[in-house]
Amino acid sequence: MFRALKAFCALTLIAFSTLMYSSTAAATPLPDAYTMYNQLGVKHELSFEKFADAYNHFKFSRSARPVFTLIDYGKPSSEKRFWVFDVAKRKTLFSSYVSHGKNSGHLYAKKFSNRVNSHQTSLGVFRASETYYGKHGYSLRLDGLSKGVNDNARRRAIVIHGAAYANPKVISQTGQLGRSWGCPALPSYLSKKVINTIKDGTFIYAYA
């Protein structure tokens, strides 16, 4: 009886210590934007200003996980301009090509809209929501959080999905990715992994 009680107490102590360690780790404040930017090592891919804007919003917002996505539509579609960051691990999880809307421009996205049937890309802050299977296969619904800028995302069916025209092989043939109806379409070989990483409550920041 005494041995059993002693073993139970030891296990309880270990569990309590682990919980305290996890709580302490979770409560550890994130560093400033410049420090995180350097730790992620993305200065040759992404401007500090765009990163800082997204990161600072993320720090003070309720996210489902310590992960956020940044899209830089100021870059041409022939370059990687979609990143998913894990700030807890100080790691870039994905760096990818991404398509823009066909009425936003050709190589560069120059026009943006929140209007239904505009077939243009929207900027602003989005929340990644639920997944579903549609005409583009496994897809991720987005909620636009920037009033008047992207808050019609649901009505416009702006989602993240995979597409053959977003494959970088298309760039070698045409000099740019194919274009969507406004959705941030990813290469099909990568889309499912990205969607499963960011779904159900993480933030997406789209800039130009």
Side-chain angles (χ1 to χ4, degrees), residues 155-173:
R155 292 179 60 206
R156 297 182 61 205
I158 300 300
V159 303
I160 291 180
H161 62 78
Y165 58 74
N167 192 303
K169 290 181 179 179
V170 175
I171 299 170
S172 62
Q173 300 168 357

Side-chain angles (χ1 to χ4, degrees), residues 127-132 139-143 154 158-160:
R127 181 183 286 113
S129 190
E130 76 276 12
T131 60
Y132 72 100
S139 305
L140 175 64
R141 298 191 194 278
L142 304 180
D143 291 311
R154 282 266 177 175
I158 300 300
V159 303
I160 291 180

Side-chain angles (χ1 to χ4, degrees), residues 90-128:
R90 313 297 200 264
K91 184 178 180 181
T92 302
L93 300 179
F94 300 99
S95 176
S96 176
Y97 298 91
V98 63
S99 292
H100 57 253
K102 69 174 188 176
N103 288 340
S104 283
H106 292 274
L107 178 60
Y108 286 88
K110 297 181 178 180
K111 297 179 181 179
F112 304 91
S113 178
N114 189 36
R115 184 169 51 86
V116 175
N117 295 325
S118 67
H119 295 172
Q120 292 182 6
T121 290
S122 292
L123 302 178
V125 182
F126 299 83
R127 181 183 286 113

Side-chain angles (χ1 to χ4, degrees):
M1 179 70 177
F2 176 75
R3 288 182 178 179
L5 180 62
K6 187 176 180 181
F8 174 77
C9 291
L11 288 171
T12 301
L13 181 60
I14 292 171
F16 179 75
S17 299
T18 302
L19 178 62
M20 289 298 292
Y21 175 80
S22 299
S23 298
T24 301
T28 302
L30 291 170
D32 62 88
Y34 188 72
T35 299
M36 181 62 74
Y37 182 71
N38 285 324
Q39 289 178 344
L40 290 168
V42 291
K43 66 180 181 179
H44 297 300
E45 306 172 48
L46 175 63
S47 75
F48 172 70
E49 290 75 15
K50 290 176 181 177
F51 175 83
D53 191 40
Y55 177 70
N56 288 329
H57 179 277
F58 164 83
K59 279 182 69 174
F60 298 103
S61 302
R62 185 180 293 276
S63 177
R65 290 178 295 286
V67 170
F68 74 87
T69 302
L70 194 154
I71 308 174
D72 183 4
Y73 287 117
K75 302 182 75 171
S77 67
S78 57
E79 295 181 16
K80 291 183 177 181
R81 52 183 184 170
F82 180 104
W83 300 267
V84 179
F85 300 112
D86 185 324
V87 297
K89 296 180 179 179
R90 313 297 200 264
K91 184 178 180 181
T92 302
L93 300 179
F94 300 99
S95 176
S96 176
Y97 298 91
V98 63
S99 292
H100 57 253
K102 69 174 188 176
N103 288 340
S104 283
H106 292 274
L107 178 60
Y108 286 88
K110 297 181 178 180
K111 297 179 181 179
F112 304 91
S113 178
N114 189 36
R115 184 169 51 86
V116 175
N117 295 325
S118 67
H119 295 172
Q120 292 182 6
T121 290
S122 292
L123 302 178
V125 182
F126 299 83
R127 181 183 286 113
S129 190
E130 76 276 12
T131 60
Y132 72 100
Y133 283 90
K135 65 179 181 179
H136 296 292
Y138 192 54
S139 305
L140 175 64
R141 298 191 194 278
L142 304 180
D143 291 311
L145 305 183
S146 300
K147 188 174 181 179
V149 177
N150 66 13
D151 54 356
N152 280 331
R154 282 266 177 175
R155 292 179 60 206
R156 297 182 61 205
I158 300 300
V159 303
I160 291 180
H161 62 78
Y165 58 74
N167 192 303
K169 290 181 179 179
V170 175
I171 299 170
S172 62
Q173 300 168 357
T174 65
Q176 63 184 55
L177 288 186
R179 293 166 295 160
S180 68
W181 280 14
C183 296
L186 298 172
S188 298
Y189 61 79
L190 189 64
S191 59
K192 186 174 183 178
K193 292 180 181 178
V194 171
I195 289 171
N196 283 337
T197 300
I198 69 174
K199 66 181 181 179
D200 299 331
T202 69
F203 292 105
I204 299 166
Y205 305 92
Y207 302 104

